Amino acid sequence: MEIRVVNLEEKAQLIHELHKYKLVAELNDIQFKLVKSKREFIWHSHEETDEMFFVVEGEMKLAFREKAFDLKKGELIVVPKGVEHKPICETECTILLVEPKGTVNTGKAGGSLTDMELEWI
């Protein structure tokens, strides 16, 4: 494994398309994925793992069935495994997701928003 410094803001500038997950680092079996988003996602959960959202640029909302949280640049939230949630990005934002390798972005919900074509930047 190559040892390197990852600057999230610089990596975000390399992303020119929305909703395509980009790998920026790995730690054991954990992947660090950047994505630019501007949409309301689907309700889904991850039965096997927690998931962490960190806002690199912009702001977003993370909705749960009983409550929603507004997140701005520099803030993060951890979604416990099995908890249904829905990311909402009304304006373009860049999010860092930290989750185990092989975690599907739509969980068991599947569908047309599933992105399995991860590339390194």
Side-chain angles (χ1 to χ4, degrees):
M1 178 177 80
E2 176 187 352
I3 299 173
R4 62 192 176 109
V5 173
V6 176
N7 183 302
L8 295 176
E9 290 180 353
E10 288 176 7
K11 292 290 186 185
Q13 298 309 310
L14 299 175
I15 301 173
H16 302 291
E17 57 189 328
L18 294 174
H19 315 124
K20 294 293 182 186
Y21 295 77
K22 308 295 183 184
L23 294 169
V24 296
E26 282 187 346
L27 170 70
N28 300 315
D29 288 331
I30 302 296
Q31 292 183 320
F32 294 72
K33 304 171 187 176
L34 271 183
V35 64
K36 284 195 183 209
S37 184
K38 185 181 177 184
R39 68 177 171 195
E40 185 169 323
F41 204 55
I42 59 170
W43 285 105
H44 69 284
S45 63
H46 304 278
E47 298 305 317
E48 311 79 28
T49 184
D50 299 338
E51 182 178 31
M52 194 272 305
F53 290 78
F54 175 79
V55 179
V56 177
E57 298 173 331
E59 55 188 46
M60 68 173 288
K61 181 177 292 204
L62 194 58
F64 297 90
R65 290 296 183 179
E66 298 81 29
K67 188 175 187 174
F69 293 89
D70 292 313
L71 301 164
K72 60 182 186 274
K73 180 179 177 176
E75 295 181 330
L76 68 84
I77 191 167
V78 175
V79 179
K81 67 181 172 183
V83 174
E84 199 171 23
H85 58 285
K86 176 168 66 168
I88 301 167
C89 302
E90 294 175 355
T91 59
E92 186 175 308
C93 65
T94 304
I95 305 159
L96 175 71
L97 294 141
V98 180
E99 54 198 8
K101 193 181 292 186
T103 300
V104 178
N105 66 320
T106 53
K108 290 185 178 180
S112 63
L113 300 181
T114 300
D115 183 5
M116 297 295 294
E117 297 180 23
L118 304 175
E119 74 172 298
W120 282 91
I121 57 168

